[in-house]
């Protein structure tokens, strides 16, 4: 079960499977946006609720602030919606940038969230074995079809030891010397083959930082404009993983426009924050 809460005042949405950790994130956000209702004037600390006539004054700063946060949340708790999915934000078709450190629990949390929504899963990755192992171990059952596009030298060797003999998997080997247009055409071909099949297509694009460092931000930007349209044409949910520390902040703001949604993934929450 995934919950969603959307701020009524700021462009801020949070999703999470755990209500308590959601509550903490929401409280921090509300508190940040309610500083004008808090006063530190001597001899104490005080707050006045912007929504009702509750107020508090005391010497104990930590406790008073905690009460303020808890109280602000009381007004919002009714707006925490259950049974949500991040992809609903884009009507289950479009492109999502997922920011999280490489190999972080947050990134894996996002992967499972999106992959679980897929009937046809397309993985564009340098780590086919790790991705397939995750599918096997974390999802209750294999997708109807999994297509792996990888630059791994010997993908068969990489996934040796994984028993996938009965699993519908297609592996497409990409050349390491591949240019962006060839990569784009290869992806097109996969989408042509499977784009009309029954079921939701979910794409993990796991080589964004490699592409940025190899080809530069402008060519990457153009490539993404074409690619994101391609995925939209087949109503795919496509998510692009990116370690925000691996690229310039200016690069992120440049490519941000090509995505329908951008989220930061932590171990417990997904936060969309476009302020
Ligand atoms: Zn109140």
């Amino acid at each position: 079960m995934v919950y969603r809460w959307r701020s009524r005042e700021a462009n801020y949405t949070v999703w999470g499977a755990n209500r308590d950790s959601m509550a903490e994130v929401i409280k921090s956000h509300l508190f940040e946006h309610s500083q004008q209702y808090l006063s530190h004037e001597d001899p104490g600390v005080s707050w006045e609720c912007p929504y009702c006539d509750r107020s508090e004054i005391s010497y104990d700063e930590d406790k008073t602030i905690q009460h303020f946060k808890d109280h602000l949340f009381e007004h919002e708790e009714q707006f925490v919606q259950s049974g949500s999915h991040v992809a609903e934000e884009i009507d289950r078709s479009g492109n999502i940038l997922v920011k999280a450190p490489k190999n972080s629990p947050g990134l894996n949390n996002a992967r499972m969230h999106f992959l679980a929504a897929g009937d046809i899963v397309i993985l564009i990755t340098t780590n086919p074995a790790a991705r397939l192992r995750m599918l096997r171990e974390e999802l209750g059952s294999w997708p109807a079809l999994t297509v792996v596009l990888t630059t791994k030298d010997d993908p068969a060797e990489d996934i040796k030891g994984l028993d996938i003999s009965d699993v519908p998997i297609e592996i497409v080997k990409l050349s390491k010397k591949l240019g962006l247009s060839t990569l784009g055409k290869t992806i097109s071909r996969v989408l042509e083959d499977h784009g009309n099949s029954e079921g939701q297509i979910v794409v993990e694009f796991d080589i964004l930082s490699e592409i940025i460092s190899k080809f530069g931000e402008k060519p990457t930007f153009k490539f993404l404009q074409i690619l994101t349209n391609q995925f939209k044409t087949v109503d795919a949910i496509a998510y692009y993983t990116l370690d925000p520390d691996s690229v310039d902040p200016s690069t992120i703001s440049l490519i941000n426009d090509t995505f329908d949604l951008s989220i930061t993934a932590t171990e417990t929450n997904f936060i969309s924050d476009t302020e």
Side-chain angles (χ1 to χ4, degrees):
M1 172 77 84
V2 173
Y3 302 94
R4 187 196 72 193
W5 176 79
R6 184 176 285 150
S7 168
R8 289 179 285 161
E9 276 153 19
N11 213 336
Y12 180 96
T13 307
V14 56
W15 294 263
N18 179 306
R19 265 193 99 99
D20 292 340
S21 79
M22 282 273 288
E24 285 316 305
V25 176
I26 296 168
K27 283 177 191 178
S28 299
H29 175 82
L30 293 169
F31 181 65
E32 255 173 61
H33 284 262
S34 305
Q35 290 300 310
Q36 67 266 44
Y37 308 107
L38 186 75
S39 159
H40 288 279
E41 263 170 60
D42 247 10
V45 55
S46 65
W47 56 265
E48 278 175 22
C49 176
Y51 307 112
C52 71
D53 56 9
R54 273 278 286 278
S55 64
E56 184 181 358
I57 183 161
S58 93
Y59 295 122
D60 189 336
E61 186 173 356
D62 291 347
K63 209 161 109 188
T64 307
I65 285 176
Q66 189 57 52
H67 289 164
F68 186 32
K69 287 180 172 178
D70 293 344
H71 179 73
L72 286 169
F73 182 64
E74 279 171 25
H75 285 288
E76 291 297 323
E77 206 167 359
Q78 58 182 310
F79 299 111
V80 176
Q81 216 179 68
S82 62
S84 186
H85 194 281
V86 174
E88 279 163 19
E89 204 72 2
I90 56 165
D91 292 329
R92 292 188 175 261
S93 163
N95 298 272
I96 302 169
L97 181 65
V98 176
K99 288 171 287 182
K102 245 187 163 39
N103 302 319
S104 63
L107 186 54
N108 286 341
N109 185 18
R111 284 185 170 125
M112 291 328 302
H113 182 72
F114 289 113
L115 292 173
D119 302 304
I120 299 168
V121 163
I122 300 173
L123 304 164
I124 302 157
T125 178
T126 54
N127 271 316
R131 291 294 83 73
L132 291 175
R133 198 164 288 128
M134 175 176 229
L135 278 180
R136 189 193 59 185
E137 282 163 15
E138 304 281 345
L139 289 184
S141 60
W142 285 95
L145 175 68
T146 305
V147 184
V148 184
L149 287 85
T150 183
T151 52
K152 197 97 192 171
D153 285 332
D154 191 352
E157 178 65 28
D158 188 49
I159 59 175
K160 218 172 74 182
L162 254 174
D163 183 17
I164 47 167
S165 47
D166 297 332
V167 182
I169 290 182
E170 236 172 65
I171 294 177
V172 181
K173 167 101 176 68
L174 302 168
S175 158
K176 279 211 171 83
K177 295 196 206 88
L178 217 58
L180 282 178
S181 60
T182 327
L183 173 61
K185 282 175 195 155
T186 309
I187 294 171
S188 279
R189 223 169 31 239
V190 171
L191 294 178
E192 268 164 33
D193 287 350
H194 304 293
N196 294 321
S197 310
E198 194 82 9
Q200 173 74 58
I201 299 178
V202 170
V203 183
E204 173 172 320
F205 194 84
D206 202 25
I207 56 171
L208 186 52
S209 64
E210 282 90 346
I211 284 186
I212 292 168
S213 67
K214 189 170 172 191
F215 298 101
E217 62 172 36
K218 290 237 166 65
T220 304
F221 178 66
K222 271 179 78 179
F223 172 72
L224 283 175
Q225 284 181 310
I226 303 170
L227 191 67
T228 49
N229 278 331
Q230 286 181 313
F231 290 144
K232 259 193 182 153
T233 319
V234 294
D235 286 330
I237 299 167
Y239 65 99
Y240 303 65
T241 64
L242 186 65
D243 183 345
D245 294 330
S246 73
V247 289
D248 272 356
S250 64
T251 307
I252 297 188
S253 23
L254 174 74
I255 62 170
N256 231 350
D257 282 351
T258 57
F259 299 103
D260 302 298
L261 180 69
S262 165
I263 60 166
T264 297
T266 71
E267 189 167 7
T268 45
N269 297 105
F270 309 123
I271 295 165
S272 144
D273 179 352
T274 47
E275 286 162 283

